[in-house]
Amino acid sequence: HLIAPSWRFDMVQSADIVEEIARMEGYDALPTQSLPPLKSGRTNITTPQQQRIRTIRRALAARGFGEAVTWSFMLKSHADQFGGGDAELTLSNPVASELNQMRPSILPNLAVAAQKAVNHGAREVRLFEAGPIYLGDGPKDQRSTVAALVRPSSKRHWEGERPYDAYRAKADLFATLQAIGQPASRFQIEAPRQAHWHPGQSACLKLGPKVTIAHFGALHPRVLKALDVDGPIYAFELNLNAVPFMKAR
């Protein structure tokens, strides 16, 4: 029969007594025994899509991008500039009155975040986000996308390094695809198919004649003005739902 001292208010059950004895004997004196291995072996707790997104996060971070997590909704006027603004995607009870539209693209939120960083003294801003966009209110209208954006610094010509441009946005996009086992040779480059891209400094990436998987290049100055963002802004947006999984060899 054991009685705890009156000053030991922390000893209330048998496990506390066991812990006290173990402390006196020394934890290094306790025998160790491994748990039996699982009969089914190792199992993944993430889906293949989640694994791809995790790989992309590491790849973009290694290329100097910082990850952002923004709202899945935005101003309706911003959504209008990126092909959204449909009535069925307007929120009836938004978290804030100005955030009343489900986003058709991640880029507007990233552009606004980049402008805030510049307003606080940042020179070159590199941001990316992996998350959903919404093209309608149906169950199949949600897309899993990755968007990356650079607001380059205004370097002088004598400062050496060439400033970020549409070609470097293309390189970042292809590096992202390469990280998930998608070689550049699989894709074709054509003129942009979305109005928020600069027609002379952007392009779309296609897989075959019908499937567009990404856009890259400069955002249109008209769109940046509507967002109240100082340009230029270079970016890419990748639709992961349109990128097939590579077969294991």
Side-chain angles (χ1 to χ4, degrees), residues 6-7 38 73 110 112 119 128 131 133 154 166 173 176-177 180 193 195 220 240-241:
S6 59
W7 64 87
L38 296 175
F73 25 83
L110 288 185
V112 171
N119 293 344
F128 81 92
I133 62 171
S154 54
L173 170 59
T176 300
L177 289 167
I180 57 174
R193 294 176 175 270
H220 201 293
L240 287 176
N241 292 98

Side-chain angles (χ1 to χ4, degrees), residues 1 6 16 18 59 89 103 105 107 111 120 236 240:
H1 183 69
S6 59
D16 299 324
V18 174
L89 293 177
R103 64 184 183 187
S105 169
L107 292 174
H120 284 82
F236 73 78
L240 287 176

Side-chain angles (χ1 to χ4, degrees), residues 32-235:
T32 58
Q33 184 176 357
S34 299
L35 293 173
L38 296 175
K39 295 181 180 180
S40 59
R42 297 178 59 184
T43 57
N44 289 325
I45 61 173
T46 56
T47 66
Q49 188 76 295
Q50 290 171 331
Q51 293 173 27
R52 288 207 300 192
I53 292 174
R54 184 177 296 178
T55 299
I56 289 172
R57 284 191 174 113
R58 290 197 297 266
L60 287 173
R63 295 181 72 84
F65 288 84
E67 184 172 9
V69 180
T70 66
W71 296 109
S72 288
F73 25 83
M74 60 179 57
L75 276 163
K76 185 180 185 303
S77 60
H78 290 184
D80 291 337
Q81 298 295 322
F82 287 77
D86 298 337
E88 63 266 23
L89 293 177
T90 301
L91 300 175
S92 58
N93 187 26
V95 66
S97 59
E98 67 274 13
L99 301 174
N100 62 348
Q101 192 77 17
M102 300 303 294
R103 64 184 183 187
S105 169
I106 298 176
L107 292 174
N109 287 346
L110 288 185
V112 171
Q115 183 63 47
K116 290 180 179 179
V118 170
N119 293 344
H120 284 82
R123 293 193 66 186
E124 180 166 287
V125 182
R126 294 171 175 247
L127 297 173
F128 81 92
E129 181 175 355
I133 62 171
Y134 305 89
L135 306 182
D137 62 349
K140 296 183 179 180
D141 292 330
Q142 181 176 318
R143 301 288 185 273
S144 178
T145 60
V146 175
L149 175 149
V150 174
R151 199 278 191 182
S153 61
S154 54
K155 292 183 178 180
R156 307 300 191 270
H157 62 83
W158 61 81
E159 291 189 81
E161 183 182 356
R162 179 170 60 90
Y164 197 94
D165 57 13
Y167 294 102
R168 296 180 69 179
K170 173 187 173 185
D172 283 330
L173 170 59
F174 275 94
T176 300
L177 289 167
Q178 185 67 40
I180 57 174
Q182 302 284 339
S185 57
R186 302 191 69 201
F187 307 106
Q188 302 83 45
I189 297 177
E190 295 186 2
R193 294 176 175 270
Q194 296 173 333
H196 54 267
W197 296 97
H198 193 300
Q201 299 183 40
S202 63
C204 74
L205 201 62
K206 300 192 70 177
L207 181 61
K210 296 182 178 180
V211 180
T212 300
I213 69 161
H215 279 77
F216 66 89
L219 291 180
H220 201 293
R222 166 185 51 79
V223 172
L224 296 180
K225 184 177 180 181
L227 298 178
D228 198 20
V229 171
D230 299 328
I233 293 286
Y234 299 96

